[in-house]
Amino acid sequence: MNNNVYWFLTFVLSLCGATTAFHALFNKRDSRAAAMWIIVSLLIPLIGSVAYCLFGINRIQRRARKLRKNKTHSLHKNHLEQDQQLNGGEYTRFSELIRTTTAMTQSPLLPGNSVTALHNGENAYPVMLDAIANATQHVYLSMYIFQNDACGEKFMNALIKTHQRGITVRVLLDGYGQWPVTFSMANRLRKAGVPVGLFNPIKLFPPNIHINLRNHRKLLIVDNTVAFAGGMNIAKQHCAIDDQSSAHIIDLSFRFTGPILQQLYNVFLDEWEFVTGENLIVPKNSPVTSSKPSSLSTEQGSLCRVIVDGPDDDQDGITAVLLGAIGAANRRLAIISPYFLPPREIVGALQTAARRGVQVDILLPRRSDRRFVDWATRNMLWELLNDGVNVYYQLTSFPHTKLFIVDDFYMHTGSANMDMRSLRLNFELVVEIYDHAFGAQMIEHFDECLKKAETISLERLHARPLWQRFRDAFCWLFSPLL
């Protein structure tokens, strides 16, 4: 290599590294993540710049969301006044959280909902398949992973048969979640005439620089009557009875009926328009077309609201809600998450809650499908244990449930994990629920899980061999990316 070529390549690599470092400096919101990217980009310009383009950019423009907001904001002028009807009793403690979430989401709390927890695929999938088979107007499905196995085959056949009956069917899949399988399933549906959209798919020409931003939401809406949301993908692994292998997944999905379908509809319509450009026509008598807010009554079923979050104009929305809910806790916080690497502000809030006498119980898997996350989590658990937070490991194969409960009264559940990938990189959907009766059911479920769990102590953490402590600490350095 002659000197001219050498200096030219050096100049190009230096320019790439410096450009990447400046972009990280001005755009990253986490100082640790910014410092890491700057150092890597300057020391290893080629690898650092490529890695940053693939994994470091965490913003995406959502033209469809802006279009949808222009259409729907006029429906929500009186939400703050409407939610102020919730006075007295338990709602007094949550009044600040209610006002904050209303202003952030521009959506009201909706009364009169029915929420049912469905345990694992053997209970959830038959109900979902039955709803699809009996659809009379439309079926909207958004899924992160749609596996090509026995369960995936059942859903594919049900969707195709429903489409062949003349029912409107739309399927939205993430373009990266197990992408070879995703493309295969998408192509099979398309060949049968079912419209399929791929969210942010992998592309080489032109290259997709937002590959790290995924649509992690799981949502099924059938007609104007029922919706399913939670953290459960479509895969045989979620059927604990049918799949007795060590790889099976324990999870919850939730069946919703009532006015909350209005907000779930808006989520899917927004995503579909963003991915495909198609503005779906909302059927008559749909909850989306109703512009008159309902009067709140705490005696009419569950009060629910949808919260969406992602690396766009709703960034950190779920984090803000979590902080408000932790601050409102009086007696107990119960948390289940398959991955646990929360941002510093949530760690501090949990520590503060424990110090002021709130029983804080965190239930984690002993072993998840992301070993690097497990190791990084172990490096930071001592902070929580040192302040009186209770941490437990579930001994079942892989608990994938996401559940957050405050005082047997306030809950939220959905697709978001308690880690920075979910809270800052993924597009997520959670539903917050105010309901004593349903809260009691979920606490009972939580306590049943505790009976099969083991307690994690400071002594056990400190007893790890030095090589494990080094490994865990090293993985923790990359926690903003995990």
Side-chain angles (χ1 to χ4, degrees), residues 2 46 50 118 223 236 240 264-265 291 360 423-424 469:
N2 61 47
L46 179 61
V50 172
L118 302 171
D223 296 339
K236 184 182 178 182
L264 294 171
Y265 262 107
S291 61
V360 182
L423 299 177
R424 290 184 175 170
R469 297 171 68 180

Side-chain angles (χ1 to χ4, degrees), residues 104-342:
M104 182 185 69
T105 63
Q106 293 292 303
S107 298
L109 274 168
L110 297 174
N113 301 286
S114 175
V115 187
T116 305
L118 302 171
H119 297 261
N120 298 322
E122 60 265 24
N123 292 308
Y125 293 158
V127 181
M128 297 166 71
L129 289 167
D130 184 67
I132 294 171
N134 290 286
T136 60
Q137 297 183 52
H138 52 260
V139 174
Y140 298 151
L141 174 67
S142 177
M143 194 57 54
Y144 181 62
I145 294 175
F146 195 147
Q147 192 62 269
N148 186 12
D149 57 20
C151 288
E153 196 72 22
K154 289 179 182 178
F155 274 88
M156 175 169 294
N157 291 335
L159 292 167
I160 292 173
K161 288 179 181 178
T162 299
H163 167 73
Q164 291 172 344
R165 289 193 291 113
I167 307 301
T168 299
V169 178
R170 296 291 185 273
V171 177
L172 180 63
L173 302 176
D174 184 75
Y176 183 72
Q178 296 195 353
W179 67 269
V181 176
T182 298
F183 278 94
S184 171
M185 301 298 273
N187 287 335
R188 290 177 62 188
L189 286 168
R190 285 169 175 161
K191 287 180 181 178
V194 178
V196 179
L198 293 179
F199 184 96
N200 198 24
I202 296 174
K203 292 188 297 183
L204 296 178
F205 302 102
N208 182 1
I209 64 172
H210 297 111
I211 193 173
N212 204 32
L213 310 182
R214 311 310 331 157
N215 184 7
H216 195 238
R217 298 165 183 168
K218 294 94 175 178
L219 178 62
L220 171 65
I221 308 173
V222 179
D223 296 339
N224 306 320
T225 56
V226 65
F228 302 85
M232 196 180 298
N233 294 294
I234 296 176
K236 184 182 178 182
Q237 288 175 303
H238 288 281
C239 296
I241 292 177
D242 294 338
D243 184 358
Q244 295 297 328
S245 71
S246 60
H248 80 251
I249 299 171
I250 306 299
D251 210 338
L252 285 176
S253 187
F254 294 85
R255 179 183 184 272
F256 296 91
T257 60
I260 193 60
L261 266 68
Q262 169 184 339
Q263 295 175 7
L264 294 171
Y265 262 107
N266 283 334
V267 173
F268 185 88
L269 297 179
D270 172 42
E271 296 299 329
W272 185 259
E273 186 174 3
F274 170 67
V275 171
T276 69
E278 180 187 10
N279 182 9
L280 290 174
I281 299 174
V282 181
K284 293 181 179 179
N285 302 319
S286 165
V288 180
T289 61
S290 175
S291 61
K292 184 178 180 181
S294 305
S295 61
L296 290 179
S297 170
T298 59
E299 305 299 323
Q300 297 177 0
S302 301
L303 285 171
C304 298
R305 169 165 39 207
V306 171
I307 304 169
V308 291
D309 200 2
D312 54 4
D313 55 8
D314 288 327
Q315 192 173 19
D316 295 343
I318 295 175
T319 298
V321 173
L322 288 171
L323 289 171
I326 293 170
N330 250 2
R331 302 181 301 277
R332 188 182 186 188
L333 276 167
I335 299 169
I336 308 179
S337 181
Y339 315 108
F340 189 78
L341 278 173

Side-chain angles (χ1 to χ4, degrees), residues 307-434:
I307 304 169
V308 291
D309 200 2
D312 54 4
D313 55 8
D314 288 327
Q315 192 173 19
D316 295 343
I318 295 175
T319 298
V321 173
L322 288 171
L323 289 171
I326 293 170
N330 250 2
R331 302 181 301 277
R332 188 182 186 188
L333 276 167
I335 299 169
I336 308 179
S337 181
Y339 315 108
F340 189 78
L341 278 173
R344 294 300 310 170
E345 54 267 35
I346 289 182
V347 173
L350 292 171
Q351 290 172 305
T352 301
R355 289 173 190 154
R356 58 185 171 84
V358 176
Q359 179 182 339
V360 182
D361 296 325
I362 301 174
L363 196 52
L364 307 175
R366 178 180 57 179
R367 181 187 180 97
S368 77
D369 61 344
R370 298 182 191 170
R371 297 300 288 152
F372 291 107
V373 175
D374 297 341
W375 297 332
T377 298
R378 288 192 192 123
N379 186 70
M380 50 80 61
L381 286 181
W382 68 269
E383 298 180 77
L384 296 169
L385 294 171
N386 200 49
D387 283 309
V389 174
N390 304 310
V391 180
Y392 305 88
Y393 279 165
Q394 297 190 73
L395 303 181
T396 49
S397 298
F398 177 32
H400 193 250
T401 303
K402 306 97 164 46
L403 196 58
F404 180 90
I405 312 170
V406 180
D407 293 348
D408 310 356
F409 176 61
Y410 173 86
M411 293 142 286
H412 83 210
T413 188
S415 62
N417 303 307
M418 192 75 77
D419 65 0
M420 284 185 276
R421 168 160 291 281
S422 272
L423 299 177
R424 290 184 175 170
L425 292 176
N426 289 343
F427 292 89
E428 305 282 4
L429 179 153
V430 301
V431 180
E432 60 174 1
I433 305 165
Y434 293 84

